Amino acid sequence: MGRKVHPIGFRLGINKPWLGRWYAEGKDYTDQLHQDIEIRKMVKKEAERAGVSTIEIERYPGKVKVTLHTAKPGILIGRKGESVKILRQQLEALTGKKIDLEVKEIKSADTDAYLVATNIAGQLERRISYRRAMKRAIQQALRQGAGGIKISVSGRLSGAEMARRVTLREGRVPLQTLRADIDFARASAKTTFGQIGIKVWIYNGIVMNQPEEKVETTEGVYISE
């Protein structure tokens, strides 16, 4: 089961949050869902160089809160906050509501699946060997404390006539363990030989609380540690 579904969707409500947190019914739901898609497209386009990984959207009466997780907050914010101010104005024009924009820094970009996938895609577009790019990403992720990583690339690798898939893995990647924190992302590289797809799975340990152990005291009463 864990290999057949999206690893993040598989864990929603267990150890992964919803990226869009709001409620609506009927036509309002459709309109707001399409608006979320447009917000994400605009942010990815305007902040392409800022390394934005995750975009969280929350809706309140008359206000939309957008939280951006980025590896380069300085580029996103700009000098004296000019870039983020322009982005806020564009989002307000798109939604017609007040935008509360929050920027959060990603401490370790090498253990973020989306940033790793886009980094590999950029290297493939610069004609760097796919094996070299994959091995380097694996080494950096493990060096930053990841429990395991799996990378899969597929397409006309190195200009081969027939498309194929190559997968490299180091460490543990327990896809069927719901308690496991699995970060997953896709990216694509547009090369002269065609489009190459990249998938990245990163295992960051167990995040759910373990059951408390009980210890028997000398008086025969059980207490929790």
Side-chain angles (χ1 to χ4, degrees):
M1 183 71 178
R3 294 185 62 185
K4 304 298 182 185
V5 299
H6 196 291
I8 295 176
F10 193 40
R11 292 168 173 80
L12 280 177
I14 299 171
N15 59 23
K16 293 290 183 182
W18 280 264
L19 297 182
R21 294 187 287 275
W22 46 267
Y23 178 80
E25 292 182 348
K27 190 175 183 300
D28 289 340
Y29 175 83
T30 307
D31 294 340
Q32 292 183 18
L33 181 62
H34 284 285
Q35 196 175 87
D36 277 13
I37 295 171
E38 293 300 320
I39 289 173
R40 296 178 195 280
K41 283 182 180 178
M42 178 177 286
V43 171
K44 294 285 186 183
K45 181 181 177 182
E46 297 296 328
E48 188 176 0
R49 293 173 52 249
V52 177
S53 172
T54 307
I55 302 169
E56 299 181 25
I57 300 174
E58 298 178 66
R59 293 181 181 271
Y60 304 94
K63 185 178 76 171
V64 179
K65 182 179 179 182
V66 181
T67 305
L68 307 180
H69 296 260
T70 174
K72 302 173 183 177
I75 295 177
L76 181 61
I77 295 170
R79 184 175 295 178
K80 297 182 180 179
E82 291 179 0
S83 299
V84 76
K85 184 178 179 181
I86 294 171
L87 181 60
R88 183 185 290 111
Q89 292 173 350
Q90 292 175 335
L91 291 175
E92 287 178 349
L94 175 66
T95 59
K97 296 181 180 179
K98 183 182 177 183
I99 296 291
D100 185 5
L101 200 59
E102 184 179 354
V103 178
K104 291 187 177 181
E105 182 181 4
I106 297 172
K107 298 296 183 182
S108 177
D110 293 325
T111 57
D112 187 283
Y114 179 80
L115 297 179
V116 171
T118 52
N119 182 34
I120 293 173
Q123 293 184 59
L124 295 179
E125 290 175 352
R126 296 195 302 271
R127 299 192 178 186
I128 294 175
S129 168
Y130 69 92
R131 283 194 179 274
R132 180 182 174 186
M134 293 167 71
K135 287 180 179 179
R136 185 177 180 184
I138 289 172
Q139 291 172 359
Q140 290 176 336
L142 295 177
R143 195 178 296 124
Q144 291 295 325
I149 178 172
K150 182 169 77 169
I151 302 175
S152 177
V153 296
S154 58
R156 291 185 60 194
L157 303 175
S158 300
E161 290 187 8
M162 185 175 292
R164 58 198 172 97
R165 175 176 295 170
V166 174
T167 301
L168 296 181
R169 184 175 72 177
E170 288 286 341
R172 291 181 62 230
V173 186
L175 297 180
Q176 295 181 338
T177 305
L178 286 172
R179 294 177 301 164
D181 181 9
I182 302 289
D183 194 12
F184 172 76
R186 297 187 184 98
S188 60
K190 296 178 181 177
T191 68
T192 54
F193 304 110
Q195 193 163 332
I196 295 177
I198 301 116
K199 292 182 180 179
V200 177
W201 296 259
I202 297 179
Y203 170 55
N204 291 311
I206 301 293
V207 295
M208 283 187 64
N209 294 328
Q210 299 294 330
E212 293 182 350
E213 294 184 4
K214 294 184 177 180
V215 179
E216 186 176 0
T217 65
T218 55
E219 299 176 356
V221 180
Y222 287 88
I223 59 172
S224 298
E225 282 189 333

